[in-house]
Amino acid sequence: MSIYKEFPLNGSKPKLRAWRAIHPRKEKDITYNIGVMLSIRLLGTPKITYDRHPVTITRRKSRAFLYYLAAHPTPLTREQLQALFWPDLNRQAAQQNLRVTLHGLRKILGSLLIVDSDTLVLADQVKIDAHIFRARLSSSISDLGLLKETLDLYHGDFISGFTLPNLLDFDNWVMVERERDRRVAVKG
């Protein structure tokens, strides 16, 4: 079963070949991605777009995994992710679930998901509203236009309306992030 319902490729083989031509699977340097951008909105109702086309990931845990990865600008270890997303499973089962999740996300993200033997991170080219919002408001902004543009990124609470009821640690993390972003917005 595919983890996505809707993607700009729509399963068309000619389009898939063209997309793969500019998005090779093993390419580490993703500077070719200049005109096409993956954007992840975490502030407000979460939204994933690729070159302004909505990307729908049907598996809830895969979406949560992507949101968690997107919220962290630095690499996360496989062990951290396994402990958060599969806390009740033994190590081998958690590793298998991680591999399945990564396989599905790689189909969508390609080389924008950087995976090595121990860590995972999204490429710097991925536009993540929460990173921009937090970075800009971490220092004082004297340009009122830039301040307004930055505050306009705040569409609401961090991944508003999204929960993983069976993962209390994930939901606790979301609540901490929401409170942090509220404080940053009020301070801004």
Side-chain angles (χ1 to χ4, degrees), residues 7-141:
F7 192 64
L9 303 178
N10 293 331
S12 168
K13 288 186 181 194
K15 287 183 180 179
L16 178 59
R17 280 194 291 272
W19 189 81
R20 277 286 168 222
I22 61 170
H23 298 88
R25 290 175 192 228
K26 304 220 187 253
E27 182 64 48
K28 295 292 181 191
D29 175 23
I30 55 174
T31 55
Y32 58 81
N33 201 14
I34 292 172
V36 179
M37 181 181 294
L38 178 70
S39 178
I40 302 174
R41 182 172 72 190
L42 300 175
L43 299 173
T45 303
K47 184 176 182 182
I48 305 163
T49 58
Y50 187 81
D51 197 23
R52 292 185 249 162
H53 297 280
V55 177
T56 303
I57 301 172
T58 57
R59 290 185 61 214
R60 189 171 195 76
K61 193 170 271 190
S62 294
R63 278 183 281 151
F65 188 91
L66 181 57
Y67 301 152
Y68 189 79
L69 202 55
H72 291 84
T74 57
L76 298 169
T77 67
R78 289 174 180 264
E79 288 77 23
Q80 287 173 302
L81 295 165
Q82 290 167 13
L84 178 66
F85 288 97
W86 301 281
D88 297 334
L89 298 180
N90 65 44
R91 182 182 168 119
Q92 186 177 7
Q95 288 172 332
Q96 177 60 25
N97 283 348
L98 177 62
R99 281 192 293 273
V100 169
T101 300
L102 289 176
H103 176 74
L105 289 175
R106 279 184 180 149
K107 283 181 177 179
I108 296 170
L109 303 174
S111 61
L112 294 173
L113 175 61
I114 301 170
V115 179
D116 68 23
S117 61
D118 295 325
T119 61
L120 296 89
V121 70
L122 291 176
D124 290 337
Q125 289 81 354
V126 177
K127 181 182 173 189
I128 303 166
D129 64 344
H131 291 201
I132 298 166
F133 178 77
R134 293 169 186 165
R136 286 183 184 171
L137 292 179
S138 67
S139 60
S140 63
I141 300 176

